[in-house]
Amino acid sequence: MTSEDGTPVRVGVFGLLGSGNLGNDGSLEAVLGYLRAEHPEAVVDALCGGPEVVTTRYRIPATRLHWYRGEYRTASRVGAMAAKGLGKLVDAARTAAWVRRHDVVIVPGMGVLEATLPLRPWGFPYSLFLLCAAGRLFGTRVALVSVGAAAIGSRPTRTLVRWSARLATYRSYRDALSRDAMREMGVDTARDEIYPDLAFALPAPPASAPSGPQGPVCVGVMAFHGGNDDRARAEEIHRRYLDGTIRFVRTLVEDGRTVRLLTGDECDGPVVAAILDAVDSPLVTASGAASLADLMKEAAAADTVVATRYHNLVCALKVGTPTLALSYAAKSDALMARMGLDAYCHPAREVDADRLLEQFRALEKRSAEVRRTLTERNLVAARRLEHQFSALTAALFPAADHTHTHALREAP
């Protein structure tokens, strides 16, 4: 892939990548797979949260997203607050310089247009705005690819997110709820498409044959404290979620089931430790999965999965394992509905262990039927993502020799 002057196209990838969230890194992996298959001559690098991890794992140069290394620590002292404030100014210049060096920048998946988890406007929303504004200023095509979005209550955060989307060259969403949310926030979405989450483009291990009524169960847990508007009740919400999950796991163990605890982010470790401490049994073990590929292998080996984190759900559904969602946001409900499992969602904010067990047992009774449904839905997802990548090539690499056409989307 070369530009009009014969030089290789310079492609940047941007986001909280390499920072310990397996879902974010899985989205990056899917986009890198597309670039290496369809545009192998492109020169790719990253501006991201964990540059060392991204360079080591994905073999691309990477630059730290924030100049100030204490960006994600609470600043309580005057010196730290001053350094963080200075960092925002420095980041504006650094981001602009990085964007200017590229022909294309891709934001691969992730919930970059939502605030379903605690989020401050001067954190990632500010970084995303800098990226999209610099792209518009320097003529660099910025693409938000299969991203998640949700209505945002905080006015500063909503404003930054809205303008980021407006300034992007290309937008697509991972569900209809995301596109609707951006329309409600004042973004013209008439030409924006909906595609499955990018993780559905990753290769999946073969699903194991079901073990029977006493087969293994994967339980995906999360350091869940509610959303951005729940800060005052965060500990109460977390305690209720943890207590309900512990009761559920304990009952599975009493029934003789083996339980494998899954996570999706480094911050989930304390939840795993709390469950292992409360349910002291050799039947309960913790996974050390370090990638979505590892999570898929765990899910494929299970008879059933019960999970909270969005990408735990994606992995389980991708490998065709019957799945029940402990849903913490509308995106989880939308995903389950798309895969034909909308009857198997349970609210993470109000975990009722008895009701959860009823849903779990009902799901297991329909296991064979659910597996057939997931096989069909995964084929549809794969075809949609093939179309997504063809659309990206047409929109972002107009000089390329490709057979598919797709109008370049200029944001209003």
Side-chain angles (χ1 to χ4, degrees):
M1 169 58 59
T2 58
S3 58
E4 293 179 358
D5 62 3
T7 61
V9 170
R10 299 158 299 177
V11 180
V13 289
F14 175 93
L16 294 177
L17 311 165
S19 301
N21 185 287
L22 302 187
N24 292 356
D25 290 355
S27 297
L28 169 62
E29 185 177 343
V31 164
L32 290 178
Y34 151 70
L35 290 171
R36 287 164 177 165
E38 301 298 327
H39 308 288
E41 295 179 8
V43 176
V44 183
D45 72 309
L47 183 63
C48 60
E52 299 85 0
V53 172
V54 168
T55 296
T56 301
R57 184 175 296 169
Y58 301 108
R59 306 185 307 280
I60 60 173
T63 303
R64 186 172 297 279
L65 180 59
H66 299 292
W67 170 79
Y68 178 54
R69 290 179 175 264
E71 170 66 27
Y72 296 108
R73 294 195 297 268
T74 300
S76 56
R77 296 182 178 180
V78 174
M81 288 188 285
K84 184 171 283 193
L86 176 61
K88 298 303 176 185
L89 298 175
V90 175
D91 285 347
R94 292 174 70 251
T95 301
W98 182 81
V99 170
R100 192 173 188 176
R101 294 197 299 268
H102 295 82
D103 301 295
V104 173
V105 173
I106 296 175
V107 181
M110 306 177 285
V112 296
L113 303 177
E114 65 183 40
T116 52
L117 297 176
L119 183 70
R120 299 295 191 188
W122 55 83
F124 189 78
Y126 172 75
S127 299
L128 183 65
F129 172 75
L130 292 179
L131 172 82
C132 296
R136 182 54 62 97
L137 178 64
F138 298 120
T140 300
R141 296 181 288 276
V142 175
L144 310 180
V145 182
S146 285
V147 298
I152 297 172
S154 165
R155 181 174 294 180
T157 303
R158 184 172 65 247
T159 299
L160 287 169
V161 165
R162 178 173 62 243
W163 276 104
S164 296
R166 285 176 172 174
L167 292 169
T169 306
Y170 173 96
R171 297 179 299 265
S172 65
Y173 308 98
R174 64 190 179 195
D175 51 51
L177 289 174
S178 295
R179 185 170 65 182
D180 292 346
M182 294 313 298
R183 182 184 300 119
E184 290 170 9
M185 285 194 284
V187 177
D188 181 1
T189 61
R191 291 176 289 174
D192 298 350
E193 295 286 347
I194 297 167
Y195 296 102
D197 189 277
L198 288 169
F200 280 100
L202 296 173
S208 302
S211 304
Q214 296 300 311
V217 180
C218 281
V219 176
V221 302
M222 179 179 177
F224 177 61
H225 293 79
N228 206 48
D229 298 328
D230 296 318
R231 293 177 185 273
R233 300 176 51 236
E235 287 310 312
E236 174 193 344
I237 291 171
H238 179 65
R239 187 73 253 170
R240 185 175 297 161
Y241 166 77
L242 183 57
D243 288 347
T245 305
I246 287 172
R247 279 194 60 202
F248 175 70
V249 172
R250 183 179 289 123
T251 303
L252 291 179
V253 169
E254 289 170 355
D255 290 344
R257 304 294 290 268
T258 58
V259 177
R260 187 75 160 162
L261 300 177
L262 308 179
T263 62
D265 195 292
E266 291 176 352
C267 68
D268 299 332
V271 180
V272 170
I275 295 173
L276 292 174
D277 184 60
V279 188
D280 186 12
S281 168
L283 293 177
V284 185
T285 57
S287 166
S291 67
L292 289 195
D294 292 343
L295 284 176
M296 287 186 199
K297 290 178 183 176
E298 297 274 11
D303 274 8
T304 310
V305 174
V306 178
T308 311
R309 277 203 178 273
Y310 181 81
H311 278 95
N312 278 192
L313 297 175
V314 169
C315 288
L317 296 168
K318 167 74 175 175
V319 299
T321 301
T323 303
L324 197 159
L326 281 173
S327 177
Y328 69 92
K331 63 184 178 183
S332 299
D333 297 332
L335 172 64
M336 294 291 283
R338 172 177 283 187
M339 301 303 285
L341 294 180
D342 46 319
Y344 301 102
C345 295
H346 190 96
R349 280 179 174 77
E350 303 285 345
V351 178
D352 179 334
D354 293 333
R355 172 62 182 146
L356 183 59
L357 282 162
E358 289 178 9
Q359 291 179 287
F360 173 78
R361 288 164 180 159
L363 176 63
E364 290 211 311
K365 288 179 181 178
R366 293 185 55 215
S367 179
E369 176 190 347
V370 168
R371 287 177 182 271
R372 288 193 295 272
T373 298
L374 290 177
T375 298
E376 296 168 0
R377 301 296 172 97
N378 275 307
L379 288 174
V380 173
R383 287 195 293 269
R384 287 293 294 156
L385 283 170
E386 287 177 3
H387 185 273
Q388 162 87 307
F389 292 137
S390 295
L392 270 181
T393 290
L396 302 182
F397 305 98
D401 180 16
H402 49 77
T403 57
H404 295 82
T405 61
H406 191 278
L408 180 63
R409 302 174 188 171
E410 291 294 342

